[in-house]
Amino acid sequence: MKRILLSIITVFCLFAQSLSAQTYVQSNKTLDNAEISIKFYNRTLYYPGSGDENPIYVHITIRNTGSDTLRFKLADDRAFSLDFKAVDAKNIKLPESAALTEKRTTSQTVYFREIALEPAEEYSFVENVKDYLDITNPSIYYLTATFYPDLFRNKNTGIESRRLSLEVRPSPTIAASSYIPVETGTASILEAEAISPDKVVEQTIIARQQGAWDKFFLYMDVEAILKNNTSRNRRYNAASADERIQMLQQFKADLMQSRIDTDIVSIPSKFQIETTTYSQTQGTVKVIEWFRNTTFTEKKRYTYYVRQRDGIWQIYNYTVDNLGTEN
């Protein structure tokens, strides 16, 4: 009887060791088959201080580099799946933000979903570095991101990106504190040009296809788009001057994250300008846009309403009509 009992215990021990080894192999396999890369998103001039007033948006991409399906967990609050680290030229590390510390040390339920990527597939999202790091001084920093396939609680399974050079400039004076859009890669200042309404719409759509947010907003009256919604318009009109600035900044951030007004930020696979009509100050541009899905393509007609201010045409409203689907 004792021999039978010992045999059963031995079998259970071997089974437990097998499960443990399987988990370890799977963890290592995830690390081997996953790659994380980062690049600046909506690049502009970066200054110390608030992440709301001057965010540092980074585009994070997770790619399956293996030959098998890659599975990982992704928290709804990305702070439990991702981490940023930045050091200056003296290798002094930036501290994490107070909000991040409080979030990670407070007892709470972390909601997540399972993501599965087939070989060569990618999954991307955008995060504000200032939500993670406390950036108070101008300097050249070297930024890396670490992704945790099994959430932040299991820091032994982190996948680190390559370094990205981040230049944080001294804070400008109050007179020059407005946001300055710049050309990605060249740092040349973007300026709106006196082009026709159809060209304004065409450049705006192309900018969205390229993920160039500064160019996307260049010919858009963001305040008018915000106020097209009745409840937002009511809150905006009741707000102070400083609150209105913050509302506009938050509205643009929400658009970039596709949280609101998703029609205007949807990315068409192709488009065709249908008609353009305009007077000296007002106009409309109708565009047929196609949106590719897995098994079909949606076809929609966008009508962009434009008006001219100081010789520059701007988009101030839009409507969308569904035209059905195509195979």
Side-chain angles (χ1 to χ4, degrees), residues 219-277:
Y219 294 101
M220 189 173 294
D221 187 341
V222 178
E223 181 181 33
I225 299 292
L226 179 150
K227 295 174 71 175
N228 287 333
N229 178 281
T230 304
S231 62
R232 288 198 305 250
N233 182 42
R234 190 182 302 114
R235 285 187 285 111
Y236 187 84
N237 290 335
S240 66
D242 289 341
E243 289 172 338
R244 288 182 179 184
I245 293 173
Q246 293 178 1
M247 285 182 67
L248 288 173
Q249 291 170 341
Q250 185 60 52
F251 180 66
K252 289 175 71 173
D254 288 340
L255 284 176
M256 292 165 62
Q257 295 282 351
S258 296
R259 293 172 181 154
I260 54 174
D261 291 28
T262 54
D263 282 329
I264 193 66
V265 293
S266 296
I267 305 175
S269 55
K270 63 177 181 177
F271 69 94
Q272 178 181 335
I273 294 179
E274 192 176 33
T275 59
T276 303
T277 58

Side-chain angles (χ1 to χ4, degrees), residues 3-277:
R3 289 182 179 179
I4 295 174
L5 184 59
L6 287 172
S7 299
I8 292 173
I9 292 172
T10 302
V11 169
F12 273 113
C13 288
L14 290 173
F15 181 68
Q17 288 177 355
S18 174
L19 284 179
S20 177
Q22 253 183 342
T23 303
Y24 177 77
V25 170
Q26 178 61 35
S27 175
N28 281 344
K29 192 173 183 180
T30 300
L31 291 175
D32 293 339
N33 295 348
E35 177 184 82
I36 176 174
S37 60
I38 58 175
K39 62 180 179 181
F40 290 113
Y41 196 68
N42 186 38
R43 184 164 191 167
T44 182
L45 303 178
Y46 301 122
Y47 304 105
S50 170
D52 294 327
E53 296 176 1
N54 182 238
I56 301 176
Y57 288 115
V58 169
H59 187 271
I60 300 103
T61 298
I62 302 158
R63 179 180 174 84
N64 182 358
T65 58
S67 57
D68 298 319
T69 301
L70 173 65
R71 302 181 188 279
F72 56 86
K73 298 173 183 175
L74 185 67
D76 292 348
D77 185 339
R78 304 289 192 257
F80 293 98
S81 284
L82 189 75
D83 206 10
F84 283 102
K85 181 176 72 173
V87 296
D88 61 16
K90 298 179 180 179
N91 205 36
I92 297 175
K93 186 178 177 181
L94 281 177
E96 66 180 30
S97 68
L100 180 67
T101 301
E102 181 181 358
K103 183 184 298 184
R104 288 178 174 170
T105 55
T106 302
S107 178
Q108 61 180 293
T109 302
V110 178
Y111 296 97
F112 65 89
R113 51 184 170 144
E114 298 276 355
I115 303 290
L117 297 181
E118 296 304 319
E121 284 188 343
E122 298 177 346
Y123 186 91
S124 300
F125 53 92
V126 177
E127 286 294 290
N128 182 0
V129 173
K130 287 186 177 179
D131 289 340
Y132 294 77
L133 300 176
D134 187 16
I135 303 176
T136 57
N137 296 312
S139 183
I140 300 292
Y141 296 100
Y142 301 101
L143 180 72
T144 58
T146 302
F147 178 71
Y148 302 100
D150 197 32
L151 304 183
F152 183 77
R153 64 193 177 195
N154 190 354
K155 298 180 69 174
N156 294 325
T157 60
I159 306 165
E160 190 170 275
S161 71
R162 293 184 178 180
R163 294 200 310 180
L164 192 64
S165 295
L166 167 62
E167 181 181 3
V168 178
R169 302 189 179 191
S171 297
T173 61
I174 295 176
S177 62
S178 59
Y179 176 86
I180 304 174
V182 297
E183 178 76 52
T184 301
T186 65
S188 59
I189 298 175
L190 289 172
E191 293 183 355
E193 300 176 353
I195 56 179
S196 62
D198 55 332
K199 287 296 181 183
V200 163
V201 172
E202 180 184 62
Q203 289 196 20
T204 300
I205 296 174
I206 291 174
R208 184 65 194 98
Q209 289 177 322
Q210 296 174 342
W213 286 108
D214 281 336
K215 291 182 179 179
F216 176 77
F217 290 121
L218 190 61
Y219 294 101
M220 189 173 294
D221 187 341
V222 178
E223 181 181 33
I225 299 292
L226 179 150
K227 295 174 71 175
N228 287 333
N229 178 281
T230 304
S231 62
R232 288 198 305 250
N233 182 42
R234 190 182 302 114
R235 285 187 285 111
Y236 187 84
N237 290 335
S240 66
D242 289 341
E243 289 172 338
R244 288 182 179 184
I245 293 173
Q246 293 178 1
M247 285 182 67
L248 288 173
Q249 291 170 341
Q250 185 60 52
F251 180 66
K252 289 175 71 173
D254 288 340
L255 284 176
M256 292 165 62
Q257 295 282 351
S258 296
R259 293 172 181 154
I260 54 174
D261 291 28
T262 54
D263 282 329
I264 193 66
V265 293
S266 296
I267 305 175
S269 55
K270 63 177 181 177
F271 69 94
Q272 178 181 335
I273 294 179
E274 192 176 33
T275 59
T276 303
T277 58

Side-chain angles (χ1 to χ4, degrees), residues 263 274 286-291 298-305 318-324:
D263 282 329
E274 192 176 33
K286 294 187 177 182
V287 185
I288 304 297
E289 300 184 29
W290 288 264
F291 300 85
E298 291 181 278
K299 184 179 179 181
K300 300 181 180 182
R301 175 182 287 111
Y302 278 66
T303 301
Y304 296 91
Y305 298 89
Y318 68 96
T319 59
V320 183
D321 296 313
N322 293 317
L323 302 180

